[in-house]
Amino acid sequence: MFEKKIAIIGLGYVGLPLAVEFGKKYPTTGFDISENRIKELAEGKDSTLEVTAEELGSSCHLRFSCELEDLRDANIYIVTVPTPVDEHKRPDLTPLVKASKMLGKVISKGDIVIYESTVYPGATEEDCIPLIEQESGLQFNVDFFAGYSPERINPGDKEHRLTTIRKITSGSTPEVAETVDSLYKSIVTAGTHKASSIRVAEAAKVIENTQRDLNIALINELALIFNRMGIDTLDVLEAAGTKWNFLPFRPGLVGGHCIGVDPYYLTHKAQEIGYTPEVILAGRRINDGMGAYVVSQVVKRMLKRRIHIEDANVLILGLTFKENCPDIRNTKVVDLVREFQEYGANVDVYDPWVSQKESQHEYGITPIDAPAAGKYDAIVLAVAHTQFREMSVDTIRKLGRRDCVLYDIKSILPKNEIDGRL
């Protein structure tokens, strides 16, 4: 068995924890095209907050680089770049294409390339591997090999970490599948599941989040129905939840790098092979429309209080796609901002977890440093950060004017002290 020399391509929420764990056991190079990212990691800092300075320091065989030549010594390459969708909800494989072409310039005979990025079934062998072959002149499954082991990182979750989440593995040949599986077993204490093929592993990943997306879409649709009936959705869910096999999903905004994106990869591939998915796309339409629905509910309550919407001051508490992490990828809170702005309202966003520079770059939104007391006509609690959970209703209401509308998307405040919730 050859000596494992690992290179991790992409040092975001997925790649960095992986690099740190492998770097405890094997010579590992963490590669990222961002010089600023490499610089902060070299200084022992992680802006994603997924890895502590102590954890970075404990990875004694890990080095960081943004130089392509530093990858040439590796014999196992693990690709962890983003796989977003474009403005038309179509898969954007640009980061994956660039990473594959780049690896084609440094890969050698006998090397293994493992992809972790979420894709549709077939993408690894049909879209990525040919690019490596073209750039390198090497033949797949003769000169080099591939694997697929989908990421299952949950940003901000300090309980379910890389090592404690069971890992799916696969390889392009039975021998490579065994090598990939044993590699991940060496760092994942929760164990592994060796899939029968790369395509099976790709499909397994993409349906994990599609299933969750559809479950939330069902609850969101129920919330739309119950609201028209004058029934509190959370009361209904709590009552139904007394049955042992009722699934505890809650209504809300469905964003992030996985649940709000992955279903489009599957539907894209389905349409490509001539099948039009009905249920999956219906769920996506419901979830994508929840931002507009929330704003419509807030606006109705403002109008009932004779609050003029145009030039009204609105405060949104939270911008990240989930609580207690700085991740703003595909956050649906942006939909709230845009909808209120369409009505002519002035919108302030406050989120102590978010980098103002990153938010401005990604969405053109600069979160405020702190909300002013007595300023707002409407306040929307959009993300359940601990800082907001610890605020009393009185504290939040003091940020608003006398007739301020307080709407709680996350249902963390007492229902008799707010003006509305999903």
Side-chain angles (χ1 to χ4, degrees):
M1 181 61 187
F2 61 87
E3 180 190 3
K4 298 179 179 71
K5 297 179 181 178
I6 299 171
I8 309 295
I9 313 303
L11 297 174
Y13 286 87
V14 176
L16 181 60
L18 201 63
V20 168
E21 290 303 322
F22 278 127
K24 294 175 181 179
K25 294 194 172 189
Y26 311 104
T28 302
T29 300
F31 177 89
D32 200 283
I33 59 174
S34 169
E35 292 185 16
N36 289 334
R37 179 62 167 160
I38 296 301
K39 182 180 178 182
E40 75 166 20
L41 292 174
E43 294 173 350
K45 303 173 185 175
D46 172 28
S47 57
T48 70
L49 305 182
E50 288 299 300
V51 175
T52 65
E54 290 75 20
E55 288 170 327
L56 281 172
S58 69
S59 192
C60 54
H61 302 296
L62 174 61
R63 63 171 180 163
F64 299 109
S65 177
C66 57
E67 299 295 331
L68 182 59
E69 282 303 309
D70 288 339
L71 298 177
R72 201 174 290 279
D73 290 339
N75 49 32
I76 297 177
Y77 299 91
I78 302 178
V79 180
T80 62
V81 298
T83 44
V85 291
D86 63 20
E87 65 272 20
H88 303 295
K89 308 298 185 184
R90 296 176 303 201
D92 180 5
L93 296 182
T94 302
L96 213 52
V97 167
K98 289 182 177 179
S100 298
K101 288 182 176 180
M102 182 187 72
L103 288 181
K105 300 179 186 300
V106 296
I107 196 172
S108 301
K109 284 189 175 183
D111 291 354
I112 300 173
V113 181
I114 304 169
Y115 289 88
E116 288 215 3
S117 307
T118 303
V119 291
Y120 45 75
T124 298
E125 293 159 299
E126 297 167 11
D127 297 300
C128 299
I129 295 303
L131 298 174
I132 297 177
E133 288 184 308
Q134 291 169 17
E135 290 290 333
S136 66
L138 300 177
Q139 186 178 350
F140 178 49
N141 274 345
V142 175
D143 300 315
F144 75 98
F145 306 88
Y148 184 78
S149 181
E151 61 90 2
R152 283 175 163 172
I153 294 295
N154 188 25
D157 190 336
K158 301 308 178 185
E159 179 183 355
H160 301 97
R161 309 293 300 276
L162 168 65
T163 59
T164 62
I165 303 172
R166 196 174 182 191
K167 201 84 163 71
I168 296 174
T169 67
S170 63
S172 56
T173 70
E175 296 77 18
V176 171
E178 187 59 40
T179 298
V180 173
D181 193 63
S182 63
L183 175 69
Y184 282 101
K185 272 183 179 174
S186 70
I187 64 166
V188 178
T189 57
T192 61
H193 173 87
K194 187 168 61 174
S196 58
S197 70
I198 286 175
R199 288 165 63 89
V200 166
E202 291 169 326
K205 170 57 182 177
V206 81
I207 71 164
E208 289 176 12
N209 290 317
T210 300
Q211 182 187 67
R212 184 166 174 79
D213 189 44
L214 284 171
N215 275 305
I216 299 173
L218 170 62
I219 301 303
N220 275 336
E221 187 164 54
L222 293 175
L224 303 182
I225 295 169
F226 292 145
N227 177 64
R228 292 192 174 200
M229 299 174 69
I231 300 173
D232 186 90
T233 303
L234 191 58
D235 285 350
V236 175
L237 295 176
E238 288 176 346
T242 59
K243 189 181 181 187
W244 73 91
N245 59 353
F246 187 82
L247 301 177
F249 288 94
R250 292 288 185 268
L253 305 178
V254 185
H257 65 297
C258 287
I259 300 178
V261 172
D262 295 354
Y264 288 120
Y265 274 75
L266 184 57
T267 57
H268 167 81
K269 189 64 176 180
Q271 290 168 332
E272 194 175 71
I273 60 174
Y275 179 80
T276 301
E278 303 289 349
V279 176
I280 298 172
L281 288 176
R284 280 281 76 233
R285 286 192 293 272
I286 291 170
N287 287 341
D288 279 344
M290 291 308 291
Y293 174 77
V294 166
V295 172
S296 73
Q297 295 302 297
V298 175
V299 167
K300 287 178 182 178
R301 287 161 173 78
M302 294 172 70
L303 291 174
K304 286 181 178 179
R305 295 183 181 182
R306 291 182 167 77
I307 299 173
H308 194 56
I309 307 302
E310 189 171 2
D311 284 331
N313 293 319
V314 176
L315 173 64
I316 298 176
L317 295 175
L319 179 60
T320 60
F321 89 90
K322 63 176 292 188
E323 65 275 7
N324 299 331
C325 80
D327 196 346
I328 60 172
R329 290 175 294 173
N330 192 39
T331 173
K332 292 302 178 182
V333 178
V334 172
D335 293 354
L336 303 180
V337 177
R338 303 287 185 249
E339 284 290 323
F340 276 121
Q341 289 174 339
E342 285 289 318
Y343 280 101
N346 307 308
V347 184
D348 284 347
V349 178
Y350 173 61
D351 193 321
W353 285 84
V354 168
S355 161
Q356 291 180 325
K357 182 178 180 181
E358 182 183 3
S359 174
Q360 177 60 39
H361 178 265
E362 291 296 323
Y363 301 111
I365 297 171
T366 303
I368 60 176
D369 293 322
K375 175 181 178 181
Y376 300 101
D377 300 292
I379 300 172
V380 180
L381 204 166
V383 185
H385 290 316
T386 299
Q387 290 93 328
F388 300 151
R389 285 181 174 275
E390 292 175 348
M391 295 172 69
S392 67
V393 176
D394 286 342
T395 300
I396 296 174
R397 282 205 174 276
K398 285 178 181 177
L399 301 174
R401 295 173 178 168
R402 184 171 61 86
D403 292 327
C404 174
V405 171
L406 176 56
Y407 195 93
D408 180 12
I409 294 177
K410 303 302 293 185
S411 296
I412 65 176
L413 301 174
K415 70 174 182 177
N416 61 334
E417 297 184 41
I418 58 176
D419 301 302
R421 66 184 186 184
L422 278 178

